[in-house]
Amino acid sequence: MGSSTPESVIDTAMSTLRAFNRSPVPNELSQWICDAVDVSNPEKRGQVWLNTWSRWKSLAPFFVSHGLYLYDYTSDVDRGASPPGVPKARHSTSEQPPWARRAYNQEEDLDFDCLETVRIWPARDADGHEVIIRLVSGPNPSEELKIFLRLNTPDARKDPRNHTLPVLKYLTFNKLIFVVLPRWDTVAHSPWVTSNTGLEFLHEKRIAHRDIHPSNTVMNVLATPGEELNELRASGSVHYAFIDFDSSIAFPENADLSTLRVQRLMRNPVLYMGLKPGLCDPFKDDVLCLTATTQTMVRVIENVVPEVGLFFDKILHCTYDDVPSALQALQSFRRWRAGVTHDQQREPPGGSFWKGRTRK
């Protein structure tokens, strides 16, 4: 298949053994973190990327043995990791899930520049599909691994409300557990009803996401950066998914949601909401963060459909105890959405993004 393919199974096994013996790869998940550096500084960013690449590069023979070809990082090019020379990409504009549709012009558009997120690395499978390899657990099973397992049972994957990426493979190296996921782009700003249906499913599975924002939702497309993608959002062909469960919690599946409390994780979404440190209901926080995120895209129709403003305000400006569940919010959304007339649907929105206050 090309020069990067081992000549035999024995060669692959020996390469993997050598990688294991000299590997700079720690097998404790806590050691797979990015040092606090200013990644806006090209020199410092390059050093972070180089350190990350040194870990993944030592694992390249192992991943090749599983039909996965890592993107390559060259430190003298400040554009992230680049696709492998072989195999060639084979994404089409009509690709069906779990694969992303092609909306990029050239291979360079696939460059991956999120290398400071140490636990993920892009790759291409033997059939030419782009994937993400994500380290999710060390020797002691992590919460994130528990979540992936819960979301990827046969029954969970059949549920149409399951708006998460499917695990294509679980791989283990030196007690490190990796999941292989299809690569979709973070260009989502997904519709409120789709996101909230997905959130309802997560909460039904007793999973609190705890880090909902636009960069943690993806769309089934691989696009040229900066390109307009409105034509790719047609109902029936577009799919959205939540990603990044490293901050999430999986409670017992029979737990009573109304009784669950944890210390609030002070990530950007809750800081933006003006929420304070302390004990919280993580499911209410999820609803608030999702609502605040999606109103910037949906509330632009308030000039045509005034009810949309009332819907968002009722959730975002009520008392914390009165924040609805994901299911209750979804039911409320569907009630006012059912009253939107055809004439209203034909009216142009009041802009591309709505700007207003949240709970602050």
Side-chain angles (χ1 to χ4, degrees):
M1 184 173 288
S3 59
S4 63
T5 304
E7 294 180 0
S8 69
V9 174
I10 294 177
D11 289 339
T12 299
M14 292 303 296
S15 296
T16 301
L17 181 60
R18 288 193 294 270
F20 178 86
N21 289 332
R22 66 174 185 271
S23 173
V25 178
N27 71 348
E28 289 295 335
L29 202 60
S30 61
Q31 295 176 299
W32 283 74
I33 57 175
C34 177
D35 294 331
V37 298
D38 179 11
V39 293
S40 65
N41 180 308
E43 183 177 346
K44 292 181 179 179
R45 180 174 63 244
Q47 187 57 53
V48 169
W49 289 0
L50 192 61
N51 291 343
T52 300
W53 173 228
S54 69
R55 296 184 177 193
W56 287 92
K57 187 177 182 179
S58 69
L59 293 171
F62 168 74
F63 289 119
V64 167
S65 73
H66 291 277
L68 300 168
Y69 301 84
L70 299 183
Y71 279 38
D72 185 41
Y73 173 64
T74 303
S75 59
D76 59 350
V77 179
D78 187 31
R79 70 183 204 198
S82 301
V86 290
K88 295 297 184 182
R90 292 189 176 90
H91 287 266
S92 70
T93 57
S94 58
E95 203 78 51
Q96 295 299 305
W99 308 116
R101 296 165 295 165
R102 175 171 180 161
Y104 60 88
N105 298 318
Q106 54 191 355
E107 288 261 315
E108 189 173 310
D109 295 336
L110 295 173
D111 287 354
F112 189 83
D113 63 357
C114 296
L115 306 185
E116 61 271 11
T117 50
V118 179
R119 295 180 189 171
I120 65 173
W121 197 267
R124 182 173 290 163
D125 73 10
D127 294 322
H129 292 119
E130 312 309 308
V131 299
I132 291 292
I133 305 173
R134 184 177 181 92
L135 172 61
V136 296
S137 187
N140 298 314
S142 69
E143 195 77 0
E144 188 174 9
L145 176 60
K146 185 192 306 183
I147 288 168
F148 274 112
L149 291 171
R150 189 176 294 183
L151 292 174
N152 284 277
T153 65
D155 285 344
R157 292 274 31 126
K158 286 188 294 187
D159 195 311
R161 300 171 301 157
N162 188 351
H163 295 294
T164 64
L165 296 176
V167 173
L168 306 173
K169 293 181 180 181
Y170 295 92
L171 300 175
T172 302
F173 178 88
N174 192 22
K175 299 182 180 180
L176 294 173
I177 300 176
F178 300 85
V179 295
V180 182
L181 306 165
R183 180 183 171 186
W184 295 8
D185 271 353
T186 53
V187 293
H189 289 295
S190 61
W192 193 91
V193 66
T194 302
S195 296
N196 207 70
T197 301
L199 190 62
E200 177 203 353
F201 177 79
L202 290 179
H203 290 183
E204 184 179 292
K205 292 294 183 182
R206 300 305 188 260
I207 296 169
H209 190 286
R210 302 211 302 166
D211 197 19
I212 294 175
H213 58 86
S215 294
N216 279 342
T217 52
V218 291
M219 174 178 162
N220 63 326
V221 66
L222 292 171
T224 299
E227 288 290 309
E228 182 56 63
L229 301 174
N230 286 339
E231 71 280 3
L232 294 172
R233 299 180 186 272
S235 177
S237 60
V238 67
H239 298 270
Y240 301 96
F242 287 112
I243 61 170
D244 284 1
F245 294 96
D246 60 332
S247 301
S248 305
I249 299 177
F251 295 95
E253 291 195 69
N254 60 352
D256 181 352
L257 286 183
S258 66
T259 66
L260 300 175
R261 299 292 183 272
V262 295
Q263 287 293 324
R264 178 170 284 131
L265 187 65
M266 300 307 292
R267 291 287 184 94
N268 285 336
V270 299
L271 292 172
Y272 173 74
M273 291 288 300
L275 300 174
K276 306 300 182 185
L279 280 178
C280 74
D281 178 334
F283 301 98
K284 289 183 183 292
D285 280 13
D286 275 356
V287 171
L288 288 171
C289 290
L290 177 62
T291 304
T293 295
T294 53
Q295 83 163 339
T296 61
M297 297 293 290
V298 177
R299 198 162 175 168
V300 293
I301 66 169
E302 189 173 11
N303 63 310
V304 180
V305 186
E307 292 82 1
V308 71
L310 298 175
F311 166 76
F312 283 109
D313 285 344
K314 187 174 181 180
I315 296 175
L316 294 174
H317 301 302
C318 66
T319 65
Y320 190 75
D321 287 343
D322 290 333
V323 172
S325 68
L327 177 58
Q328 290 169 336
L330 182 61
Q331 291 170 337
S332 177
F333 179 91
R334 285 173 169 160
R335 281 195 294 271
W336 75 257
R337 176 64 180 81
V340 176
T341 68
H342 291 297
D343 288 341
Q344 287 175 316
Q345 292 181 40
R346 286 195 290 265
E347 290 292 323
S352 298
F353 295 93
W354 180 85
K355 295 181 180 180
R357 65 189 182 94
T358 56
R359 289 178 67 87
K360 289 186 178 181

